[in-house]
Amino acid sequence: MLTPEGWSARLMFRRNGGLQSYVYHQNQAGRFGDTTIADGFAFEPNRYHHLVMQVVLNTPASANNGSVLVWVDSKLLIEHNGLRFRSKETPASEIQRLLFNTFHGGSSPDWAPRHADGSYKTDCAFFDNLELTQNF
């Protein structure tokens, strides 16, 4: 169960270059965060893509007016609207930090990248020009 001030919004890579969101909020359906898959999208190898993730917190804390929007190469691919990230409006419920990391997730080798024959493979991603902005 989330705390009244607890929430998170993140992006996850999927198999074959896919992308999805993973959002924890006060009204989520289950124990784990809600996800939206960027249907029909796959990152292209050997090409930079421009990603933008916009997080708008709900205000006031009782409102369901928060959102997460994700654009890739200027195309809106993921939308979460009507979110109630926090149920208590305090400094602790504000955006506190940005954590940037990449990993293959999970708690077992099943999540590791593999070739079509099932053998393990090495994947590589390059990141450039990371920027955090605040718009009013």
Side-chain angles (χ1 to χ4, degrees):
M1 180 69 175
L2 289 175
T3 66
E5 299 158 319
W7 62 271
S8 72
R10 50 189 107 163
L11 296 176
M12 295 174 58
F13 295 111
R14 296 182 53 84
R15 291 191 197 284
N16 302 315
L19 178 69
Q20 77 176 51
S21 59
Y22 192 43
V23 180
Y24 280 88
H25 58 97
Q26 298 298 315
N27 298 335
Q28 67 194 36
R31 179 177 170 212
F32 299 105
D34 293 339
T35 63
T36 298
I37 295 171
D39 286 329
F41 173 79
F43 289 102
E44 295 175 34
N46 302 311
R47 176 177 179 250
Y48 278 99
H49 292 272
H50 182 237
L51 275 73
V52 174
M53 180 181 188
Q54 179 187 57
V55 176
V56 177
L57 296 181
N58 59 302
T59 302
S62 60
N64 294 323
N65 61 2
S67 63
V68 175
L69 305 175
V70 179
W71 292 265
V72 179
D73 300 328
S74 300
K75 182 176 179 184
L76 181 62
L77 296 181
I78 295 174
E79 290 184 77
H80 292 268
N81 292 301
L83 297 176
R84 189 166 154 247
F85 283 111
R86 57 208 177 140
S87 61
K88 188 175 183 182
E89 207 167 329
T90 67
S93 73
E94 297 287 334
I95 296 173
Q96 297 291 311
R97 67 186 63 88
L98 169 72
L99 172 65
F100 180 84
N101 66 24
T102 58
F103 63 98
H104 287 283
S107 59
S108 71
D110 296 339
W111 290 79
R114 297 176 187 262
H115 294 285
D117 67 3
S119 62
Y120 292 111
K121 70 174 184 168
T122 300
D123 278 343
C124 183
F126 295 95
F127 300 92
D128 193 12
N129 298 326
L130 297 174
E131 182 178 359
L132 176 65
T133 63
Q134 182 177 6
N135 297 318
F136 295 101

